Each structure stands twice: as structure tokens, then as C-alpha cells.
Amino acid sequence: MLRTHNCGTLNITNINLQVTLSGWVQKTRDLGGMTFVDLRDRYGITQLAFNMDVNADLCTAARKLGREFVIQINGKVIERSSKNKNIPTGDIEIEVSKLTVLNSSKTPPFTIENETDGGDEIRMKYRYLDIRRNPIKESLMLRHQVSKATRDYLDEQGFIEVETPYLIKSTPEGARDFVVPSRMNEKQFYALPQSPQTFKQLLMVGGIDKYYQIVKCFRDEDLRADRQPEFTQIDCEMSFIEQEDVLNTFEGLTRHILNEVKGVKLNEFPRITYDEAMKLYGSDKPDIRFDMKFIEMTEVCQGKDFMLFDSAEIVVAINAKGCADYTRKQLDSLVNFIKTPQIGGTGLIYCKYNQDGTSKSTVDKIFDEDARDAWAEKAGCKKGDLLLIMAGEIDKTRKALGALRLHLAEELGLRNPEVFAPLWVLDFPLLEWDEDTERYHAMHHPFTSPKPEDIAKLDTDPAAVRANAYDLVINGNEIGGGSIRIHDKTLQQLMFKHLGFTEEQAKEQFGFLMEAFEYGAPPHGGVAFGFDRLCAIMGGQESIRDFIAFPKNNAGRDVMIDSPSDIDEIQLNELNIKLKD
Ligand code: ASP
């Protein structure tokens, strides 16, 4: 047996026990007469003690152990004289009687400690060493717990896990596909799925009325920060249901996961419409861990001969509670923030409501005390508050103020990662205008059903058509999205038409689905959760990268295996691919 126990379990109740342990050498400390070795495995660290007076050879051998050597020891559990209260094994150590080196190790390129000296790139290159570190190991363990809790809950609810293919057909809708050349079908290509969307709908036609899958998805997008070209979804679909059923089932799933993994009990999730979300937070994924809702100020601000306000479609504000004592420097930094190109705001008007009852704004010459009091009344500002106002085009202004709201909340420490604030955003628009192609795109995907009462507007006012589509948002992150689908062939054809598909194009790309709809497709709908993101949020982290065992870097490269890479001439020939120089 290579071990009788792991390195995280032995404690004071095991005194005098003879044990065999195996693991990695974290550290050796040579104190002259005594040598101590910290032995590490997945479960923890146990201290090994070697006494020069008792066994000089063994102690000498222990001194020679390098970091990350793999060793096995036999010995007796004894009580430590100086205890370490920070670790579960801290009351004991092992008096070693036999030491076997199972494998040596080169000196690792960075320290295998919680706080490592290794930079991002080097840690990615030696990811297997990074995984030995607690923060990464714990993230992977958390991921496992989330996936187990998911499977337990969905199984309990009668869902079955069905795998769908990874080699599918390319469609131009949505993001760019990763494609795979087919050797046996000359000059033809598979595509890797961006999601199992059409397959799960076909499973519904197949009568599998509750499907789920924890599944890899692939999207060849320009990599923005914290996106991975391959990522994982908890993908689900149900038949004979309405939106309400989907929301309840997946609110239940979210509650179950948070309770199982974090011990957090959540109340019923608030629900707001997409329109309300944009109006109150300037975002379709609002962070509601804190309040700071938008206040529309157009009426109280316009008509005073102030161009910025009078020419604006909207004047909108947030009340930064208790921030009237912001210094000039702090205020300037807010102004600079909204002027950065990503935010694209033009200007910020602010008004301080001081503790002494006076108020001071950047536009005092135009807006006298009475006007400022009217603002305060409208925005609910009390003594000590700071009112921040923006004006301009509706969408842009709301978006910029939404960014400012998050920025301020960050500064004020209102975005505590240990607090979880989920909500549903409902009634998304069905279509979204795309400036580049000058046509409407499906905001969710082309299989999403419009609200029946809005179908008539498809011809007259497409942008106003609402969809039976919903998102689950937690702490300002879109965690899941889904919809009630179209299950009627004629309506699906109508949708394709509105999305600019000719009949031939629709048939060529989605003929199989339309045909399936002719064989008794049940009403159905579903949702998919971003599994990596859910794990990251539960782990209190901004980035998904450490919740993926072997992630790609920002350029979409796996720097450990050095991929993507060239392939040789023979392979290219087999695939009928000629590379341009
Ligand atoms: N397939 C969709 C997505 O990947 C989710 C869904 O509608 O169920 O976003």
C-alpha cells in the first residue's frame, strides 16, 4: 500500500498510530538536530519529523529532498511540541522510520504556495503545477461540487442527461463556428456546436420531455477579457411547460446549488422586465446587491435654457448616498471614468447636498437653490448625498450611467462577493438591429417564440416585439438565458423570413428542424446556464479561468500543449487542404 492515510486527516486522536503517507515535498526545514518536511497531497499538509540523534542516515536523506519530490514514508503519529493552529493536522507530526523517494523533481518554475511568485503565462505553461496550488485545486473542487449538485437536483426532478454530437453542421447565425474538415467527405466540414440548441429541441420532438446536459460549447469569437473559446453550459430543455415552469425549475436549481455548495439560503428571486432593467439600471444584467436605481430627471431639468439638458432625449441620475464629502479629485476621477472610450459618456453634472443643508452643483449659475431642491425631492437626496446626473440619447446615456453605477458601487465596497443577489430579467426584445449588416438579428436565437400578443407588430414595428425569453442574472452577471421556443412550422418560417433568410437558406440550414416540427413537436422551452461563470461567482472571483482545469489564454492559445499548431503535409493532403503562403 502506498499510503494508509492522506496528508489532511491525521490529528491528536491518532497518536501512536503507525502510518504510511505519500505526497509531495512542500518544504524542508533544517534545524540542526531536527529536520522537518511538510508533506503535501490533495487533502492537506502533514509535518514529518526526522531526528539526527535517533537516525542520522534518515535525517541526512531528508535534508537532501528537493521541493516537489514525491516521497513515501512510514512512521508514528506523535504530538507536536509547537502546534500550528492554522491547519487540521497542526497538533501532530510523524516520527519517520522509513523514507522512500518515489520520484525526484526539477525545481518548479514558481512556488507552489497560495500566494505564488509565478506570473500568468508561466503558470499556464505549467498548469499541472499550478493545479497543485490550493486556490486552483479548490476552484476545481468547487466546480465538481456545483456539477454534482446540478446533477442531483435535475435527476431528482426527472431530467435525464443525454449527450448530443460535437461534430455538427455550420450555420451562420450567432457567433463564428469552429470548423473541422472531414477526411471522408472531401471538401466538406463539420462545425463544433455553439450550443446543443437544435438537438435539444429535436429531443423534445423525440419525447424526452426533460433533458439536460453539462456540455462543452465552442464559439470562435474575438476573445474579450475572460472569454474562453470552449466553455461549459448546463443545458436544459422541457416539454409541455410554460415560461413559469422553466423559471421555477431553474430558480430551484440555483437555490439548491447555492445551498449545497455555499450554505446560502436564497429568498424568492425578484423578476423585472428587460424594459424596467434598462430604465432602472441601464443594463439587462443589473447588479442588485445594492440599490442606487436610476431616477429620471428630464422633467425637472429641462426648460431652464441649459443646452446639455434641453437638447437631451433623457436626463437621468443616481443618488450616491452619503457621498457629498467626495473631494474634487474623487469627482474628477468619476468624470474621467465616464469619458473613457469604453463608457463613451460626454459629461457628468453633480450636486452635493451638504450636511449643513446647503447644496452645491457644477451648474449653480443656471440652477438656483430652488431648482436644486426640486432635484433633491425628485431623487430622494438627503443631507450628505451626492446626485450624479447625465443627459443625452436614451440608450447611450443609460448605458453610461449604468457603468458609473457599478464603478461607484465598486469604490464604495458595495459589491461583496460573498453576497448573492439573483434575479430574473424577462420579456427581452425578440429582435435586435444590427448596424453592420443593416438587418434584424434574433436577440436570443431564431427559435425563440415571440409573445403571441406582439406577433402582429412583426411587420409594423419589429423592434417592439417582445419574446418569451428570460435571463437569470446574479451579481451583475448573466448566468443563464433561455426561452419558450417556436414549435409551429409556419411561425418558425415567418421568423426566418423576418431574420432575412430566403426560403432556400432556411431550408438548407434548418430544414431538419422544420421537418421535425411536422411530426408533432410538443410545446417546449428551456434554458442554459454558463457553468464556468456560475462556478466563478460562487467562488467569489471575477475570472472564469481558474475554474477550468486547462484554460486557453487571451489569444485563444493553450500555451502548455502549444495549440493551435501546424499539421503536417500528409494530414493536409488527406484533408484536401492547400495552405496559402
Ligand atoms: N442555447 C441557448 C444559448 O446557448 C440557451 C437556450 O436558449 O436554452 O444561449
Side-chain angles (χ1 to χ4, degrees):
M1 223 195 302
L2 287 186
R3 58 181 173 188
T4 54
H5 296 78
N6 65 50
C7 296
T9 56
L10 296 168
N11 59 43
I12 205 80
T13 64
N14 303 111
I15 296 295
N16 286 332
L17 192 67
Q18 283 294 331
V19 295
T20 305
L21 300 181
S22 293
W24 287 266
V25 172
Q26 168 94 15
K27 210 192 281 166
T28 53
R29 281 183 309 281
D30 182 8
L31 306 181
M34 292 292 292
T35 294
F36 295 102
V37 173
D38 284 348
L39 186 66
R40 182 194 69 235
D41 68 8
R42 183 186 131 190
Y43 307 89
I45 286 181
T46 299
Q47 176 164 297
L48 312 177
F50 297 83
N51 191 332
M52 205 57 163
D53 295 338
V54 176
N55 190 334
D57 285 351
L58 204 57
C59 197
T60 313
R63 283 182 190 173
K64 290 195 187 131
L65 294 171
R67 270 162 56 200
E68 302 307 313
F69 273 43
V70 187
I71 61 168
Q72 180 195 32
I73 59 94
N74 299 88
K76 189 168 76 173
V77 181
I78 57 171
E79 186 169 357
R80 265 203 222 183
S81 47
S82 64
K83 302 196 167 43
N84 178 353
K85 291 284 160 225
N86 298 323
I87 57 172
T89 61
D91 287 347
I92 57 103
E93 63 193 11
I94 312 295
E95 188 182 72
V96 177
S97 52
K98 187 173 172 216
L99 166 68
T100 314
V101 175
L102 300 175
N103 213 339
S104 62
S105 168
K106 293 209 299 196
T107 304
F110 51 87
T111 53
I112 315 286
E113 310 261 348
N114 289 1
E115 301 289 335
T116 178
D117 55 0
D120 261 6
E121 199 73 356
I122 191 95
R123 285 171 36 224
M124 295 273 275
K125 182 158 164 34
Y126 297 93
R127 185 67 168 177
Y128 45 88
L129 294 179
D130 210 19
I131 291 173
R132 287 186 194 164
R133 294 194 311 118
N134 278 329
I136 311 291
K137 181 189 72 192
E138 276 157 18
S139 298
L140 294 180
M141 281 167 34
L142 183 132
R143 183 181 176 105
H144 164 73
Q145 287 166 350
V146 178
S147 96
K148 178 166 186 314
T150 302
R151 290 200 160 93
D152 288 348
Y153 173 88
L154 291 174
D155 179 67
E156 176 70 21
Q157 299 284 319
F159 284 76
I160 64 168
E161 183 159 20
V162 182
E163 287 161 89
T164 50
Y166 280 156
L167 293 176
I168 65 165
K169 179 184 160 106
S170 186
T171 53
E173 218 18 59
R176 218 173 270 116
D177 285 325
F178 280 102
V179 293
V180 180
S182 163
R183 179 182 56 83
M184 291 198 287
N185 302 273
E186 254 185 41
K187 300 186 183 164
Q188 291 194 313
F189 294 82
Y190 300 102
L192 302 179
Q194 296 184 25
S195 85
Q197 184 61 35
T198 48
F199 286 96
K200 66 174 172 175
Q201 294 193 241
L202 293 170
L203 285 171
M204 296 304 110
V205 183
I208 305 294
D209 63 358
K210 287 179 173 181
Y211 141 91
Y212 86 98
Q213 184 179 195
I214 298 184
V215 61
K216 272 287 173 70
C217 301
F218 307 85
R219 296 186 189 169
D220 186 6
E221 290 172 303
D222 294 333
L223 294 173
R224 280 183 268 145
D226 211 30
R227 282 277 179 101
Q228 289 282 321
E230 54 177 303
F231 60 96
T232 305
Q233 285 188 343
I234 306 172
D235 189 47
C236 306
E237 197 76 4
M238 305 165 83
S239 293
F240 304 115
I241 45 86
E242 291 174 331
Q243 174 166 304
E244 194 59 32
D245 301 299
V246 181
L247 300 187
N248 288 334
T249 306
F250 292 95
E251 185 165 327
L253 170 66
T254 313
R255 253 206 218 109
H256 177 79
I257 297 173
L258 269 146
N259 190 20
E260 286 293 301
V261 180
K262 300 290 289 183
V264 170
K265 300 221 184 314
L266 294 172
N267 293 327
E268 203 171 299
F269 298 1
R271 298 175 180 191
I272 62 173
T273 64
Y274 171 88
D275 284 345
E276 280 170 329
M278 298 312 288
K279 240 178 143 162
L280 293 176
Y281 305 101
S283 164
D284 59 1
K285 44 179 174 143
D287 188 344
I288 58 163
R289 278 174 293 185
F290 57 98
D291 197 28
M292 223 191 276
K293 291 193 192 77
F294 289 6
I295 309 117
E296 287 202 4
M297 308 280 291
T298 317
E299 259 174 43
V300 281
C301 286
Q302 285 186 340
K304 299 273 184 336
D305 279 338
F306 181 52
M307 262 308 278
L308 183 73
F309 287 168
D310 286 356
S311 65
E313 266 177 20
I314 193 171
V315 184
V316 57
I318 49 178
N319 177 3
K321 289 239 153 269
C323 293
D325 56 359
Y326 258 40
T327 60
R328 183 62 202 247
K329 202 165 148 214
Q330 283 173 302
L331 290 163
D332 284 348
S333 106
L334 294 183
V335 175
N336 290 337
F337 171 78
I338 66 124
K339 285 188 178 163
T340 53
Q342 311 91 284
I343 311 299
T346 38
L348 183 66
I349 305 288
Y350 50 80
C351 183
K352 290 176 165 189
Y353 293 94
N354 299 320
Q355 288 295 358
D356 63 9
T358 61
S359 61
K360 176 116 198 63
S361 85
T362 29
V363 283
D364 278 359
K365 287 199 192 92
I366 304 154
F367 294 91
D368 60 16
E369 200 165 338
D370 283 348
R372 298 197 297 272
D373 285 348
W375 290 354
E377 196 178 325
K378 177 82 190 167
C381 291
K382 303 269 173 321
K383 287 176 188 170
D385 291 350
L386 170 70
L387 186 66
L388 296 161
I389 312 176
M390 290 179 76
E393 241 174 71
I394 293 182
D395 291 350
K396 278 193 187 146
T397 309
R398 283 182 176 156
K399 224 174 120 224
L401 191 64
L404 180 67
R405 175 179 176 270
L406 292 182
H407 178 80
L408 250 179
E410 193 73 55
E411 263 187 21
L412 297 170
L414 301 175
R415 305 187 76 189
N416 178 356
E418 289 301 320
V419 172
F420 298 95
L423 79 153
W424 289 105
V425 180
L426 308 176
D427 299 353
F428 273 77
L430 184 72
L431 304 167
E432 176 177 48
W433 182 253
D434 182 58
E435 293 290 349
D436 294 339
T437 52
E438 297 206 326
R439 65 180 180 91
Y440 282 103
H441 280 263
M443 190 151 182
H444 189 50
H445 51 56
F447 318 108
T448 293
S449 67
K451 286 201 175 290
E453 62 270 32
D454 288 0
I455 292 179
K457 281 191 258 175
L458 268 173
D459 285 317
T460 50
D461 189 5
V465 178
R466 291 163 309 156
N468 284 320
Y470 33 81
D471 273 2
L472 176 70
V473 175
I474 303 181
N475 297 358
N477 296 279
E478 181 197 328
I479 289 299
S483 61
I484 298 301
R485 326 297 183 191
I486 298 168
H487 65 281
D488 172 76
K489 186 187 165 202
T490 322
L491 183 56
Q492 187 64 68
Q493 274 168 337
L494 182 72
M495 255 318 276
F496 283 138
K497 192 184 109 205
H498 281 283
L499 293 170
F501 286 72
T502 64
E503 241 173 78
E504 291 71 46
Q505 283 168 332
K507 193 153 175 239
E508 132 85 14
Q509 285 166 35
F510 298 111
F512 61 94
L513 189 68
M514 312 261 265
E515 191 178 1
F517 282 0
E518 292 185 280
Y519 288 94
H524 61 284
V527 70
F529 280 15
F531 182 63
D532 312 289
R533 174 73 50 206
L534 178 62
C535 293
I537 288 181
M538 302 224 347
Q541 284 186 38
E542 292 288 316
S543 167
I544 62 173
R545 196 188 276 184
D546 285 345
F547 293 83
I548 297 172
F550 298 104
K552 312 252 183 303
N553 74 5
N554 281 344
R557 295 198 68 82
D558 183 325
V559 293
M560 182 182 65
I561 61 170
D562 193 20
S563 156
S565 60
D566 298 336
I567 58 175
D568 69 32
E569 207 56 39
I570 303 168
Q571 268 178 306
L572 285 172
N573 287 340
E574 270 180 351
L575 296 168
N576 241 301
I577 295 177
K578 290 197 183 35
L579 297 182
K580 278 203 250 163
D581 292 328

